[in-house]
Amino acid sequence: MSHPRTAKYKEYDVPRGTILLVNSWAIHRDPKVWDDPTSFNPERFEGKEVETHKLMPFGMGRRACPGSGLGQRMVGLALGSLIQCFEWERISGEKADFSEGTGLTMPKKKPLEVMCKSREIVHKVLQESDKNIGLHPIIL
Ligand code: HEM
């Protein structure tokens, strides 16, 4: 059986071989999909499953990211470790500017410059590891 040359989706005729790109940037900011879409409000996800076609940081379907499980665990772990092990302070005292710059990986327009100081717990852990396996701590 031969394949049709054009597929129909809603009012669109899509010729065979067309590359379709999903604009997840726009979907993630669509006020028809999200309340107050541009506010940073992680509580909006608390205690509920989000429908997969609304939130797709890892893509969806057959070519979705196979590293999503690892990615999500690593982000939580890295962020948790940075908060648990260091005290953070802004340098300028101004509020952080989260405006987007240009580029594929959504860089910030203005880099955030901060100072960090290792917490007491880090010194303890490093001293312990020094005793146990002879490592020489460099963060002190
Ligand atoms: C927070 C971290 C990550 C994010 C946000 C992310 C996001 C994405 C996105 C959006 C895609 C494209 C999906 C599509 O084409 O629709 C993708 C593909 C892919 N990702 Fe990730 N990813 C992450 C971490 C990882 C990790 C840790 C691995 C491997 C260890 C990985 C391996 C891949 C591979 C191999 C593909 C291509 C899949 C294919 O085309 O069949 N990613 N990722």
Side-chain angles (χ1 to χ4, degrees):
M1 205 175 80
S2 70
H3 292 285
R5 302 195 72 78
T6 299
K8 202 153 176 67
Y9 177 72
K10 295 192 175 168
E11 70 269 35
Y12 303 102
D13 294 318
V14 185
R16 190 168 161 186
T18 303
I19 295 175
L20 293 173
L21 298 175
V22 175
N23 189 349
S24 44
W25 189 96
I27 295 168
H28 288 163
R29 285 164 181 74
D30 187 346
K32 287 193 280 215
V33 179
W34 304 101
D35 289 334
D36 196 8
T38 53
S39 288
F40 177 68
N41 175 17
E43 290 81 11
R44 69 172 87 230
F45 303 113
E46 240 167 32
K48 49 180 135 115
E49 283 278 309
V50 184
E51 291 155 89
T52 44
H53 62 281
K54 288 186 177 178
L55 183 67
M56 44 190 135
F58 296 97
M60 62 187 290
R62 273 193 292 180
R63 302 307 296 264
C65 176
S68 69
L70 179 63
Q72 286 180 81
R73 281 168 185 80
M74 287 310 294
V75 169
L77 194 62
L79 191 60
S81 306
L82 289 172
I83 294 169
Q84 191 180 33
C85 299
F86 299 93
E87 271 174 57
W88 296 91
E89 247 176 68
R90 281 174 285 176
I91 291 178
S92 70
E94 278 169 33
K95 271 194 143 186
D97 180 354
F98 284 99
S99 348
E100 284 169 36
T102 42
L104 270 184
T105 52
M106 280 188 47
K108 288 163 86 296
K109 204 179 207 169
K110 222 172 124 205
L112 174 65
E113 288 183 9
V114 288
M115 285 184 291
C116 67
K117 196 168 106 190
S118 51
R119 293 186 196 270
E120 197 53 35
I121 178 85
V122 179
H123 298 254
K124 263 196 211 142
V125 170
L126 289 173
Q127 274 160 12
E128 282 303 310
S129 53
D130 189 35
K131 259 189 253 153
N132 294 338
I133 47 174
L135 283 178
H136 295 282
I138 46 165
I139 315 168
L140 282 174

